């Protein structure tokens, strides 16, 4: 990870909030020949002791499921907004251009659940993103469909053992450059640029 103290968010609550706002994460681990990875939605939960847990489910007997059964050490990546930053926006443009971005890396051990735990994991994810009142709500699904689905997937929990982050938002640039970067990103208008500009703006107030 590209680590500099001035790019590191020190407020753990903000890091967790970012993870919860960007739950479509990438879980990676060691395969037999190459590393394996899968990108899936996760629940990000914090208990009373402040421990962070990730819950979700994945397809059985895929390369990543088989690999995680053999080696349950996983790295989970939470990617966020990112965008190109032109050096021409700096007060001193005679340096390299760069990329601003936010990402969180979580390390821990993945523990697979039994069928009852899998059912709870699927319901929790469905209730969170689909809701409980829509036509597609989990509780409205036919029992036969749920029984077939649960046999094809497996739920899991990851207790996070270490957490790293990069909130690279031009903190190493002077105030005039930062304000110009924010203005240029807003002019650009795409979602990633807008979100980076907004986060930079929040930190400058």
């Amino acid at each position: 990870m590209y680590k500099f103290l001035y790019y590191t968010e020190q407020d753990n609550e903000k890091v967790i909030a970012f993870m919860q706002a960007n739950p479509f994460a990438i879980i990676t681990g060691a395969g037999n020949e190459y590393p394996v990875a899968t990108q899936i939605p996760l629940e990000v939960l914090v208990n009373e002791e402040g421990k962070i847990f990730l819950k979700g489910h994945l397809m059985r007997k895929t390369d990543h499921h088989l690999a995680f059964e053999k080696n349950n050490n996983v790295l989970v990546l939470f990617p966020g907004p990112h965008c190109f930053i032109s050096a021409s926006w700096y007060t001193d443009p005679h340096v390299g251009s760069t990329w601003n971005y936010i990402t969180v890396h979580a390390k821990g051990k993945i523990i697979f659940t039994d069928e009852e735990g899998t059912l709870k994991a699927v319901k929790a994810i469905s209730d969170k993103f689909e809701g409980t009142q829509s036509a597609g709500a989990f509780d409205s699904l036919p029992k036969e469909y749920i029984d077939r689905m649960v046999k094809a997937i497996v739920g899991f929990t990851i207790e996070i053992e270490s957490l790293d982050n990069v909130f690279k938002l031009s903190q190493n640039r002077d105030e005039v450059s930062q304000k110009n970067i924010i203005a240029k990103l807003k002019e650009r208008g795409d979602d990633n640029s807008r979100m980076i500009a907004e986060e930079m703006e929040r930190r400058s107030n």
Side-chain angles (χ1 to χ4, degrees):
M1 176 173 270
Y2 185 65
K3 290 285 289 182
F4 286 94
L5 186 60
Y6 47 82
Y7 292 147
T8 302
E9 175 55 63
Q10 303 297 329
D11 187 337
N12 207 45
E13 289 187 3
K14 290 183 178 179
V15 175
I16 294 170
F18 169 82
M19 295 163 66
Q20 291 172 333
N22 295 272
F24 194 53
I26 303 165
I27 305 178
T28 68
N32 290 329
E33 186 175 1
Y34 296 102
V36 295
T38 186
Q39 189 163 10
I40 50 179
L42 299 173
E43 270 198 298
V44 181
L45 306 170
V46 184
N47 70 9
E48 293 179 355
E49 299 173 351
K51 292 183 179 180
I52 307 168
F53 296 87
L54 309 176
K55 292 179 178 287
H57 59 274
L58 49 80
M59 291 293 295
R60 287 183 180 275
K61 305 308 177 186
T62 52
D63 60 347
H64 43 275
H65 177 217
L66 297 174
F68 297 156
E69 282 191 319
K70 290 181 180 179
N71 184 341
N72 69 344
N73 294 299
V74 295
L75 168 65
V76 186
L77 284 67
F78 290 83
H82 57 88
C83 61
F84 176 72
I85 305 295
S86 171
S88 66
W89 301 343
Y90 302 158
T91 51
D92 177 11
H94 303 296
V95 294
S97 299
T98 190
W99 210 270
N100 276 4
Y101 64 96
I102 304 174
T103 187
V104 172
H105 290 189
K107 294 176 183 175
K109 289 181 169 57
I110 187 168
I111 306 298
F112 292 107
T113 69
D114 56 17
E115 191 168 296
E116 182 181 352
T118 296
L119 188 65
K120 289 179 179 178
V122 176
K123 177 174 168 53
I125 288 287
S126 178
D127 288 352
K128 180 177 178 61
F129 296 105
E130 179 68 39
T132 59
Q133 303 302 317
S134 77
F138 183 84
D139 288 339
S140 69
L141 298 175
K143 183 179 183 302
E144 296 78 9
Y145 172 79
I146 292 174
D147 290 343
R148 288 197 310 272
M149 177 184 64
V150 168
K151 287 178 171 51
I153 60 180
V154 59
F156 62 82
T157 298
I158 301 169
E159 180 177 351
I160 294 178
E161 297 173 347
S162 69
L163 202 59
D164 286 312
N165 72 80
V166 175
F167 282 60
K168 186 175 179 294
L169 301 163
S170 301
Q171 294 96 323
N172 60 330
R173 296 297 162 193
D174 60 88
E175 185 177 350
V176 173
S177 294
Q178 289 183 14
K179 288 182 177 179
N180 196 44
I181 291 167
I182 291 169
K184 292 294 185 181
L185 291 177
K186 287 182 175 180
E187 286 177 13
R188 188 185 282 164
D190 63 277
D191 286 344
N192 276 306
S193 297
R194 176 184 53 78
M195 287 187 285
I196 290 292
E198 290 173 352
E199 186 62 29
M200 289 180 65
E201 207 163 35
R202 276 192 290 271
R203 290 163 181 266
S204 65
N205 294 332

